[in-house]
Amino acid sequence: VDAIVTDNTMPEMDGITFTRKVRERDRRIPILMVTNSTHLSAEAQSAGVTSYLPHARWNDVGAIVSALLDGRKSQRELPVPR
């Protein structure tokens, strides 16, 4: 998995819970949360969301995911400190 796009409102669990479960397994995958709630930003970031997007800006999702993947690629290319 290169990146995850999730909504905060889902039938089985909310996006915050989902993000926490993903982060238990992998801290590196970029996660973009789509939401209409502006008050979730701090909670989403503490759960491990990389970025969030209001539903009204759904047309921007492709550009944002590309930027997240570019950032991940850059992080992988950094030399490991010794």
Side-chain angles (χ1 to χ4, degrees):
V1 174
D2 292 323
I4 296 172
V5 178
T6 185
D7 200 306
N8 187 51
T9 306
M10 300 184 292
E12 299 293 321
M13 70 178 74
D14 62 57
I16 301 291
T17 303
F18 173 76
T19 298
R20 287 188 177 120
K21 290 186 178 290
V22 170
R23 290 298 180 228
E24 288 173 3
R25 299 183 77 138
D26 193 326
R27 303 280 315 160
R28 299 170 298 155
I29 298 172
I31 300 175
L32 172 65
M33 181 181 291
V34 182
T35 182
N36 278 330
S37 176
T38 56
H39 76 276
L40 283 177
S41 63
E43 186 178 6
Q45 286 179 333
S46 72
V49 168
T50 310
S51 187
Y52 68 97
L53 178 71
H55 281 121
R57 291 190 50 210
W58 179 252
N59 291 339
D60 298 332
V61 73
I64 293 171
V65 169
S66 291
L68 291 173
L69 291 174
D70 287 345
R72 185 173 179 198
K73 180 181 175 188
S74 296
Q75 288 175 354
R76 282 194 301 234
E77 292 173 353
L78 292 174
V80 177
R82 296 181 196 260

